[in-house]
Amino acid sequence: MVRETHCLSSSTFRDDGYLLTLTGMPHALTDLEVRTVTKPTDQAGHELTADVCVIGAGIAGLSAAVESARLGRSVVLVDALPVLGGQMVNSLIGLFCGVFSNAPQHRQLTHGIFDDIFRDLGASGDLFYKRTHTTTVGYDEVALGRWVEDTVLAHGIQAVTGAVITGVTRDDGRLHAVRLATRYGTLDVRAAGFVDASGDAALAWEAGLPCRLPDREIYGSQQLVVERLAESGRPEPAELADRVAQKAEQYGLRRHDGLAFFFPGRDTAVLNMTHIEAPLEPVAAARAQLDGKVQADRVVEFLRAEFPEAFAKAKVRSYGFPGRRQTRWVQAVHQLTVDEVRAGTRFPDAVARTAWPIELHDSPQGYVWETFGPDHLHYVPLRSMTPPDVHNLLVAGRCVDGDAAALSSVRVMGPCGAMGAAAAHVLQMTAAPSGSGSVHDVDRAELAERLSHNLEDAAG
Ligand SMILES: Cc1cc2nc3c(=O)[nH]c(=O)nc-3n(C[C@H](O)[C@H](O)[C@H](O)COP(=O)(O)OP(=O)(O)OC[C@H]3O[C@@H](n4cnc5c(N)ncnc54)[C@H](O)[C@@H]3O)c2cc1C
């Protein structure tokens, strides 16, 4: 007689202890032998080799990895988190900024990976466009997270998640390998070229290269997604900002301004209303993460009480991983300056452009917000992505070289994605045997041609 069991939906036990599997083959449970093992003293670590090793799977690293794969290169994409997508997905950023020019033209400035995201998430209804002084693009972070995973798989990119850099092999002006610690042991990745898209310049730092630190804190934020919002009574941005400014102390809010990105037609919003430290020291970083959650909960209390029509039933759907804006970044051949940003300097080695304002979060209560005119564009030169003393390393994303204010205007996702794509092309163009072997010696005209979709407007 067959006895049903509640813990195995597709298999059943017979009275004699045999398990009947879907294949119909009986197995005695005691057939599954168990060994006792101890860690061998001479156990070799794991190894991978690729053309390109990208550290950091946020928008910059993902763009670098996908573009490299499309150029026919083998790629290892590493991230310390157990998931891909960086802050874009896991810190619940929720809005692509810096991809479009200012009003009234709203031209798309950066293409590549954004064209793919906008097409696919647009088709599934997981995206919305918001027109203000520029166009920003909101997204569902769950859908985007799955899109990133599918895209990495489809391009044959070898992802290594949950892996933190512990060492770098560097000599003769080149990086040769990174050593990573994972919960399953160490992994060495050898590559011909490297991209530091870690946001904290983790690869450059471990390689012993000079890095920059701001003299005072530049705050990050604990983002959150709330759900069960009513359609009516949602405050306009100015109304929300005014109310926070008036009531922040009453509710114990550190930040005296805030933004809510409501997803049209859904009952959710991303809240960007806290300011947290972003330390580079492990104990302080863990502490800041917990403090951020306390601030986030106060924000929800504030919204429930002050805007009950929309928020009375609000619940937290998810808290992001701590959001870090500007922490540690590289010293490169050129430090982008705020004067160059304001002047819209077009460099001969420009690789990315944006119109995003200066957005420097350097006080607990608020941030500097300096917008630009309708025709304004500013650029990132390749030289801000290349530390001087290495020939096969590019830095991309929020840890390229700039003064604090300049960096604040190019660290949003649009230009970060463009920098990632540029890094892929430079590594391919300079790769041996036909290339110069140095990222400092690249044919600028050819690079500009390859990146023209991110630097020039399409004719007509
Ligand atoms: C709170 C907040 C709100 C923001 N709002 C917006 C917005 O609305 N729109 C917008 O466009 N931009 C916004 N930004 C800026 C933007 O989100 C980031 O600057 C951008 O996502 C950075 O992308 P990235 O790829 O350079 O770095 P990240 O997304 O930070 O990715 C770096 C990756 O590297 C990994 N890493 C770090 N160190 C190591 C290591 N030692 N070993 C292995 N891996 C490592 C990290 O785990 C991470 O996944 C915001 C930023 C913050 C913090």
Side-chain angles (χ1 to χ4, degrees):
M1 203 181 97
V2 172
R3 173 159 55 93
E4 294 284 341
T5 166
H6 63 274
C7 58
L8 288 166
S9 57
S10 59
S11 310
T12 51
F13 285 105
R14 293 195 326 208
D15 275 354
D16 57 6
Y18 276 79
L19 174 70
L20 278 179
T21 67
L22 274 182
T23 62
M25 297 290 289
H27 295 295
L29 289 178
T30 49
D31 281 352
L32 179 55
E33 289 183 10
V34 174
R35 288 172 295 144
T36 300
V37 293
T38 52
K39 184 180 176 188
T41 49
D42 59 348
Q43 188 180 27
H46 305 271
E47 288 184 18
L48 278 175
T49 301
D51 294 330
V52 179
C53 173
V54 181
I55 304 292
I59 184 66
L62 179 73
S63 175
V66 169
E67 195 73 9
S68 293
R70 286 181 177 163
L71 291 168
R73 315 210 72 207
S74 59
V75 185
V76 174
L77 176 62
V78 175
D79 205 290
L81 295 178
V83 276
L84 300 171
Q87 300 204 115
M88 162 177 79
V89 170
N90 304 297
S91 299
L92 310 180
I93 300 300
L95 198 71
F96 291 112
C97 296
V99 183
F100 288 80
S101 74
N102 284 340
Q105 291 201 346
H106 297 275
R107 303 187 322 272
Q108 187 174 337
L109 301 173
T110 307
H111 292 269
I113 197 161
F114 292 108
D115 288 352
D116 301 335
I117 295 174
F118 295 170
R119 181 195 60 230
D120 293 344
L121 268 67
S124 61
D126 292 309
L127 198 78
F128 64 93
Y129 292 83
K130 200 169 152 215
R131 280 196 159 193
T132 53
H133 67 282
T134 180
T135 295
T136 52
V137 185
Y139 56 85
D140 179 299
E141 76 286 354
V142 177
L144 182 60
R146 289 292 299 119
W147 184 91
V148 169
E149 291 164 349
D150 285 344
T151 300
V152 163
L153 277 178
H155 285 82
I157 295 165
Q158 178 61 65
V160 180
T161 47
V164 183
I165 306 171
T166 59
V168 178
T169 313
R170 169 190 163 208
D171 64 32
D172 296 333
R174 304 190 81 78
L175 306 190
H176 298 285
V178 287
R179 172 152 291 192
L180 304 162
T182 80
R183 61 192 288 187
Y184 314 109
T186 60
L187 170 68
D188 291 327
V189 181
R190 307 196 148 271
F194 291 81
V195 181
D196 185 344
S198 67
D200 296 339
L203 176 57
W205 179 252
E206 288 296 337
L209 299 170
C211 291
R212 302 195 192 272
L213 288 177
D215 271 351
R216 61 173 184 274
E217 184 72 34
I218 300 179
Y219 291 88
S221 296
Q222 172 61 59
Q223 305 274 100
L224 59 159
V225 173
V226 284
E227 61 186 0
R228 297 174 61 181
L229 308 186
E231 272 291 338
S232 55
R234 298 180 174 187
E236 290 298 321
E239 187 187 2
L240 177 62
D242 285 352
R243 191 74 61 88
V244 189
Q246 287 164 23
K247 303 274 179 103
E249 282 178 15
Q250 180 186 329
Y251 289 92
L253 306 181
R254 173 189 266 186
R255 186 166 160 187
H256 292 200
D257 68 70
L259 303 159
F261 310 137
F262 298 98
F263 203 114
R266 297 193 187 174
D267 69 346
T268 61
V270 175
L271 303 181
N272 179 344
M273 297 183 63
T274 65
H275 262 170
I276 56 172
E277 282 84 8
L280 291 159
E281 187 272 307
V283 177
R287 175 83 227 172
Q289 179 166 12
L290 297 180
D291 289 347
K293 296 269 176 76
V294 173
Q295 282 191 51
D297 290 344
R298 288 183 188 158
V299 163
V300 177
E301 275 171 38
F302 159 82
L303 290 168
R304 282 194 194 124
E306 293 294 323
F307 299 100
E309 195 182 341
F311 284 95
K313 295 185 178 156
K315 300 271 287 179
V316 177
R317 179 168 92 179
S318 47
Y319 297 90
F321 292 156
R324 297 159 75 86
R325 291 187 172 85
Q326 294 167 242
T327 49
R328 176 178 58 207
W329 56 96
V330 292
Q331 180 198 316
V333 173
H334 181 83
Q335 182 178 39
L336 184 67
T337 68
V338 70
D339 290 341
E340 290 164 340
V341 167
R342 286 185 175 133
T345 305
R346 171 95 192 229
F347 304 95
D349 60 338
V351 293
R353 62 181 176 165
T354 186
W356 193 250
I358 293 168
E359 186 198 332
L360 185 61
H361 290 246
D362 64 341
S363 81
Q365 291 84 15
Y367 59 99
V368 176
W369 179 249
E370 183 180 316
T371 55
F372 299 110
D375 299 323
H376 174 89
L377 292 177
H378 52 274
Y379 295 83
V380 180
L382 176 62
R383 285 163 299 137
S384 295
M385 298 169 54
T386 51
D389 297 325
V390 271
H391 295 280
N392 62 343
L393 168 66
L394 284 143
V395 181
R398 67 181 175 86
C399 55
V400 298
D401 198 2
D403 64 37
L407 187 57
S408 80
S409 70
V410 298
R411 62 162 177 77
V412 286
M413 292 195 268
C416 286
M419 289 184 241
H425 282 276
V426 171
L427 285 179
Q428 193 221 16
M429 288 168 68
T430 56
S434 52
S436 69
S438 173
V439 298
H440 302 291
D441 181 10
V442 62
D443 181 334
R444 288 180 175 176
E446 186 190 338
L447 182 63
E449 176 63 28
R450 285 175 177 232
L451 302 177
S452 60
H453 56 294
N454 288 342
L455 293 171
E456 313 291 342
D457 296 320

